[in-house]
Amino acid sequence: MSWDTVLGHDAVREKFATAVARERLASTFLFLGPAGIGKRTFALKLAQTLLCPRVQAFEPCGTCPSCRQVLAGEHPDFEYLCRPADRNQISLDQLIGDKSDRQGLCQKIAMKPFYGGRKVAILDDADDLRHEGANALLKTLEEPPPKSVIILIGTAEQRQLPTIRSRCQTVRFAPLDWPLVQRILIERELISPTDRAETLARCSGGSVQTAWHLFGDDVMEFRRQWLERLASTRVTGGDFVKALSSFVERAGKDAPPRRRRVIEVAHWAAELYRQAIAIHAYGGPTPAQQEYPDQELLQLAHACAQAWPATLDGLTLALDRCLLIETQAMANAHMQTLIESWLLDLNQAAQGRVPAYPSLATFSPLA
Ligand SMILES: [Zn+2]
């Protein structure tokens, strides 16, 4: 089990290899990048590499007890924690233990290494750390125990608390190239039949997770209708609010999957308007867009840039509005209200009814 199993991110691996070779590895890292591009896989392989006693040229042996224990989640010097599936945040107990004397991450990482080497901890879902959890972690991040390496994994920079960001070395992970997404979908048999892999990979934004979500029943069809509607000057109308609500509801009975779906839909919309802004600013398709994997979205962006009356102001406002959806959804805004107000605002922007200085401040997040 070598680094060959980690696809993409070669430059990041090289940086870690160099730091380890020079014995200048930092202790606290914050991995950032879109979901579904392999940050967790990378972190696990890094943990295996740092803990393997037979490591050679930054390659873990893959067969020693240490390597096997990391993969099985049973290594005494390795801790992994993530947000529990039924919670919307990392709990304080997970970090500092509970009253029954069970230990949390902060105590476990402070213990002497069982095998005498390093201790490694991965804290996944760092997006879901709240203030009290972050406060509990601060001392550990500020003065990491000797021989310890702590890796936090999150998505966007703005979703990390400043107190956490300032105490970690940020490592950025880029989306994967679409052919690599296609290869992963096929090789790992994530979809069947595999002839859809190319289309899904091209629309994935470089994320295997996004490609996988697009594979669901009717998702690609809804995405196409949604983007067509957003590129027109008539975003609302008919029963489109109902269609979007129903699509979001089909993600699951509970709030978290519905929230994730509305955020995903907002990402598609933001990407459309981002490309349309680039086309408008450049006066046509930009050189970078020649390589853009999703040509269908690009054509719609082009139509949008031409059709909207107050083009730049409208598109900027629409993009801001879509980016705000994530904050609103995460703040548990009422889903139906959120969808209705969002589409109404996009419709205003599409028809050129925009304020003189569009800005995020125009919209305050729903309580
Ligand atoms: Zn090993």
Side-chain angles (χ1 to χ4, degrees):
M1 292 289 282
S2 72
W3 278 88
D4 291 350
T5 55
V6 178
L7 299 175
H9 317 305
D10 294 351
V12 183
R13 187 193 59 203
E14 281 309 309
K15 278 188 185 161
F16 273 102
T18 307
V20 168
R22 292 181 183 163
E23 298 184 9
R24 300 192 64 172
L25 186 70
S27 283
T28 51
F29 296 94
L30 175 59
F31 285 10
L32 292 180
I37 60 171
K39 299 185 300 295
R40 185 187 309 116
T41 308
F42 188 102
L44 282 168
K45 186 55 68 182
L46 180 61
Q48 206 183 27
T49 308
L50 294 175
L51 293 169
C52 174
R54 298 188 207 153
V55 65
Q56 280 193 349
F58 206 62
E59 282 286 349
C61 77
T63 54
C64 72
S66 170
C67 281
R68 281 187 276 124
Q69 284 172 325
V70 170
L71 285 185
E74 292 168 353
H75 197 295
D77 295 325
F78 173 62
E79 295 299 327
Y80 173 87
L81 76 82
C82 61
R83 171 181 50 75
D86 59 343
R87 306 280 288 266
N88 57 8
Q89 59 179 290
I90 304 266
S91 75
L92 214 47
D93 292 353
Q94 291 176 282
L95 299 169
I96 54 171
D98 59 18
K99 287 181 187 134
S100 67
D101 259 8
R102 222 186 43 184
Q103 293 187 320
L105 181 86
C106 295
Q107 290 96 349
K108 288 179 185 170
I109 195 81
M111 287 159 73
K112 267 174 83 172
F114 184 82
Y115 285 133
R118 286 190 171 94
K119 285 190 89 76
V120 181
I122 296 176
L123 194 162
D124 209 344
D125 303 317
D127 292 4
D128 301 317
L129 265 175
R130 300 291 180 264
H131 282 285
E132 55 172 8
N135 286 340
L137 257 188
L138 288 190
K139 194 170 173 301
T140 304
L141 294 179
E142 212 148 44
E143 295 168 31
K147 297 184 176 180
S148 68
V149 174
I150 305 168
I151 302 163
L152 278 67
I153 305 178
T155 57
E157 182 143 16
Q158 64 269 24
R159 294 193 60 183
Q160 314 310 316
L161 296 165
T163 47
I164 296 286
R165 274 203 320 251
S166 64
R167 286 166 176 82
C168 296
Q169 187 172 319
T170 298
V171 182
R172 286 175 211 287
F173 286 73
L176 305 170
D177 292 338
W178 75 262
L180 190 52
V181 175
Q182 182 187 15
R183 191 180 133 197
I184 294 170
L185 291 175
I186 294 172
E187 282 184 2
R188 301 193 182 163
E189 297 178 1
L190 293 173
I191 63 162
S192 174
T194 51
D195 57 0
R196 288 182 62 196
E198 177 172 346
T199 311
L200 297 174
R202 283 180 175 275
C203 299
S204 69
S207 157
V208 176
Q209 182 178 303
T210 301
W212 165 250
H213 288 168
L214 288 170
F215 181 57
D217 292 343
D218 75 356
V219 177
M220 280 298 275
E221 178 54 24
F222 181 83
R223 180 179 181 272
R224 192 185 56 73
Q225 290 172 11
W226 166 242
L227 292 176
E228 269 177 16
R229 184 59 84 109
L230 293 182
S232 76
T233 52
R234 196 168 148 270
V235 176
T236 51
D239 52 4
F240 203 67
V241 171
K242 214 167 129 193
L244 176 55
S245 303
S246 151
F247 179 68
V248 169
E249 282 163 17
R250 288 201 297 280
K253 277 188 188 157
D254 301 324
R258 290 182 177 187
R259 254 201 310 268
R260 282 197 289 277
R261 180 162 274 190
V262 88
I263 290 169
E264 195 149 11
V265 171
H267 282 169
W268 302 339
E271 183 59 15
L272 174 80
Y273 294 131
R274 203 175 279 124
Q275 296 302 327
I277 288 171
I279 289 167
H280 181 77
Y282 195 76
T286 69
Q289 286 174 336
Q290 283 178 8
E291 300 293 318
Y292 192 76
D294 185 359
Q295 288 295 317
E296 206 173 321
L297 181 142
L298 213 52
Q299 279 173 13
L300 289 169
H302 200 260
C304 183
Q306 288 185 326
W308 282 25
T311 313
L312 198 55
D313 285 350
L315 290 172
T316 311
L317 197 63
L319 174 59
D320 280 356
R321 190 67 181 90
C322 294
L323 296 176
L324 192 59
I325 288 295
E326 183 157 352
T327 314
Q328 293 179 323
M330 293 311 293
N332 291 328
H334 181 253
M335 203 52 82
Q336 190 63 27
T337 313
L338 183 135
I339 287 172
E340 283 172 13
S341 68
W342 179 25
L343 291 190
L344 274 173
D345 289 337
L346 291 182
N347 199 50
Q348 294 276 340
Q351 295 184 20
R353 290 199 288 269
V354 295
Y357 298 99
S359 87
L360 267 181
T362 318
F363 304 100
S364 58
L366 302 178

